[in-house]
């Protein structure tokens, strides 16, 4: 039986929102192997200027990412959806080895297979240096609490 990752397409507004939150929750674990399981075995990515194919490359990329992006906290928000596609915008905060904080902003276009696994991910991301006092994403590492503001409420 093929792997299933509900909700599956075609997406409604409600199922698209659940899919976005599930992705946010998974990425906030910072567990590359767990996150990679949400993608098809041959998933194709463009992340900034890096091109990846398959779960192995995705997990290796995420391992490198979270080795240099410390105290990572991410918020995603549904932008648009239709059929098997979802567009999101996101922001995440992190600091480097020298303690310099950044807020990274981006947009992603996602395409899913019939089992709800992401087959294609296109991500455009920009980094903004911020001071510790400018941070907006405050919660213990892990899942963003339900009462923590989202991007719109934060004015991001």
């Amino acid at each position: 039986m093929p792997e299933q990752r509900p909700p599956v397409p075609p997406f409604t507004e409600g199922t698209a929102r659940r899919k976005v939150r599930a992705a946010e929750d998974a990425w906030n674990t910072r567990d590359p192997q767990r996150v990679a399981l949400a993608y098809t075995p041959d998933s194709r990515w463009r992340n900034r200027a890096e091109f990846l194919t398959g779960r192995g490359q995705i997990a290796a990329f995420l391992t490198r990412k979270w080795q240099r992006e410390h105290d990572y906290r991410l918020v995603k928000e549904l932008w648009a959806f239709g059929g098997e596609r979802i567009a999101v915008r996101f922001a995440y905060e992190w600091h480097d080895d020298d303690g310099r904080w950044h807020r990274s902003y981006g947009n992603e276009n996602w395409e899913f297979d019939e089992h709800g696994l992401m087959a294609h991910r296109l991500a455009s991301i920009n980094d903004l240096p911020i001071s510790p006092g400018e941070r907006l994403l405050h919660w213990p590492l892990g899942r963003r609490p339900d009462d923590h503001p989202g991007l719109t409420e934060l004015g991001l």
Side-chain angles (χ1 to χ4, degrees), residues 102-153:
H102 305 269
R103 183 175 303 124
S104 300
Y105 296 96
N107 301 292
E108 295 175 319
N109 295 316
W110 300 341
E111 185 174 48
F112 294 86
D113 72 5
E114 66 275 14
H115 306 291
L117 295 168
M118 195 181 301
H120 202 185
R121 175 183 175 266
L122 303 170
S124 298
I125 307 166
N126 298 296
D127 301 319
L128 174 69
I130 60 172
S131 70
E134 293 175 294
R135 291 184 54 221
L136 297 173
L137 309 182
H138 298 281
W139 64 83
L141 289 177
R143 185 179 191 278
R144 176 173 55 100
D146 291 335
D147 62 349
H148 190 283
L151 296 180
T152 299
E153 294 83 10

Side-chain angles (χ1 to χ4, degrees), residues 42-96:
D42 60 349
S43 185
R44 293 176 296 125
W45 278 29
R46 179 186 48 78
N47 194 89
R48 300 179 193 248
E50 195 165 349
F51 296 81
L52 311 168
T53 302
R55 288 179 177 163
Q57 287 184 10
I58 291 167
F61 167 84
L62 293 171
T63 299
R64 290 190 314 275
K65 171 185 179 60
W66 290 320
Q67 285 173 344
R68 70 178 182 277
E69 294 180 358
H70 307 291
D71 291 319
Y72 175 95
R73 287 170 178 79
L74 165 74
V75 178
K76 291 183 181 279
E77 184 173 280
L78 178 66
W79 186 254
F81 69 94
E84 73 283 354
R85 294 184 176 157
I86 296 175
V88 301
R89 64 189 199 94
F90 62 87
Y92 61 91
E93 293 177 349
W94 56 281
H95 69 83
D96 60 23

